[in-house]
Amino acid sequence: MLQQAQSLLDSLVALRREVHRHPELGFQEQNTARIVAERLNSSGITVRTGVAKTGVVGDLGAGRPCIALRADMDALPIQEENEVPYASEVPGVMHACGHDVNLTCLLGAAQLLAKEFASGQLPGRVRFLFQPSEEGQDEEGLSGGMRMAAEGLTRDVDAVVGLHVWADLPVGAISLRSGTIMARPDKFRLVIKGQEAHGAFPHRGVDAIVLSAQVIQALQTVVSRRLDPTRGKVITIGTIQGGTKENVLAGQVTMTGTIRTFEPDTRETLLQEMERACQVARSLGGDYELTIVPGYLPVVNEPSLTDLVRQTAADLLGENNVREAPMEMGGEDFSYLAQESPGCFFFLGGATPGEPPRLHHHPRFDVDERCLPIGAALLAEIAIRFLRDSGARSMPS
Ligand SMILES: [Zn+2]
Ligand SMILES: [Zn+2]
């Protein structure tokens, strides 16, 4: 399978570069969806477009068992700083997370699998999920993966597998873990309320900036002193705004931030403790308003499907190239696609050689494109083994 995929290297590189040059933000992936649909069609795969707004779904084969393979298609609002011939041609928009790579791997897998199915030897069906908007939610609070799940696209499948190219993992390696692999990323908005006054008469008002300084200290103490040190968690305040003039006491400060947790009980304690920490503002004569914006569910890998992925990767890439992933603080809406059937999400090595990793969500993010056929071969081989194994299990003895 890996050899077959290697012969697709040039066409996969060309495809990835075409998508990379024309990045589209979440729920605007019209051109990307067109490319995906054309490619699937040309492999003889039945395609539905306009799924979950701008997503594409393809089915190969029929009936059960069915394994769904998933890739995301959206780019980020980042100005690319790479000086490469395939750099983004859209000002302020860039494939800086590598979803162009993820979707190219899946299109490669579709091509490889179409060939396998043509021989008539494979039982069941492979469903290709090309989802829009992984990076963000629309005005109704839904991301592409949430919409796909809500539209029932994972209801008649028996397993869901997805990969994400990973910039600090070498080409030829993958990493994964059984159980929780990615965090729950919630957002928050915190308004600290004081009372304006002349800056020379601070005792006549309540300084929202000084209150904020106390509240920030208290919030950071939640992580270091109020929660179990063995459990993963993050509180990051990413923006802070307040005040109008150098000699006026600020009446209000607004902060936004992100919270990351892995377990529901840690999350619950963290939210309670955040609320308590904010009360510092009240004890000093001000007030606060804390709003939590719930984020994606954590990604949890089902053990037996993870074993199948691990074994497939070990056979294709060698045991040394299958690494145990740490629990990642990043979030992923793959979790919604894996609610109704077992899911496995893994990281595909894509590090550029001989330099520090070009990290995700950075204007100089990039990958080594030799990872493309590897990702395609892995996804195709995982699907084949899953169908053969579950087909054999459901055969009457
Ligand atoms: Zn991302
Ligand atoms: Zn991503």
Side-chain angles (χ1 to χ4, degrees), residues 7 30 52 69 81 101 108 118 120 150 167 170 201-202 220 224 230 246 254 270 276 278 292 296 322-323 339 351-352:
S7 71
Q30 309 282 359
L69 302 176
E81 288 176 11
V101 176
F201 309 94
Q220 292 308 324
S224 68
T230 65
E246 81 287 342
T254 304
L270 185 144
R276 282 205 335 173
C278 291
I292 305 293
Y296 298 154
V322 183
R323 304 187 182 179
Q339 288 298 300
T352 48

Side-chain angles (χ1 to χ4, degrees), residues 97 99 135 361:
C97 198
H99 298 182
E135 298 283 358
H361 290 214

Side-chain angles (χ1 to χ4, degrees), residues 338-361:
Q339 288 298 300
E340 295 189 60
S341 53
C344 180
F345 191 70
F346 66 97
F347 300 111
L348 174 73
T352 48
E355 54 179 325
R358 309 278 204 102
L359 293 176
H360 298 261
H361 290 214

